[in-house]
Amino acid sequence: MEPDLSRVWYVLEGEPGEHLVVEALGRRLSGVWTEEALAQGFLDRHPHLGMRVSPLESRALKEAFLRALGLLGVEAVLVDYQPGAHRARVVEVEALLQEVRNA
């Protein structure tokens, strides 16, 4: 079952405008979690990041987040990613931005 991206998103952020960005397989990726506990669980495994879990409840906040990712050169987001998982849902930033705008 696919995670419901119409509800609240939880993201990792540090200072204003600082979001988690990783490079894997030659792509720049970020993370979005659909449950706060999943995002916190990821952060608990990586305390050295010095980030916090923040909710994005409105379409405007989600759109701002996706635009910021675009400025950072992020191509896609991993949805509900957990370390050690063999698979994660990957959604292109542009496709997700279009989905948010049309919601």
Side-chain angles (χ1 to χ4, degrees):
M1 183 169 114
E2 297 260 325
D4 181 5
L5 292 173
S6 66
R7 298 184 350 201
V8 175
W9 295 355
Y10 297 91
V11 299
L12 302 183
E13 63 180 9
E15 297 302 316
E18 181 185 40
H19 301 290
L20 177 68
V21 176
V22 297
E23 292 196 28
L25 302 172
R27 299 182 77 191
R28 290 178 63 85
L29 307 166
S30 191
V32 168
W33 290 265
T34 57
E35 295 178 31
E36 186 175 13
L38 291 174
Q40 190 61 54
F42 179 90
L43 193 56
D44 289 346
R45 290 184 188 100
H46 301 284
H48 62 280
L49 293 174
M51 300 183 114
R52 65 189 167 280
V53 174
S54 296
L56 302 179
E57 298 181 31
S58 70
R59 286 192 332 222
L61 286 175
K62 291 175 182 178
E63 184 173 351
F65 170 72
L66 294 169
R67 287 179 174 274
L69 292 184
L71 292 173
L72 294 170
V74 172
E75 302 167 54
V77 296
L78 297 167
V79 179
D80 290 340
Y81 175 72
Q82 292 298 303
H86 295 288
R87 289 181 175 253
R89 180 178 176 200
V90 177
V91 183
E92 301 296 319
V93 168
E94 283 302 318
L96 198 49
L97 188 55
Q98 193 64 35
E99 187 176 319
V100 166
R101 287 179 178 154
N102 293 333

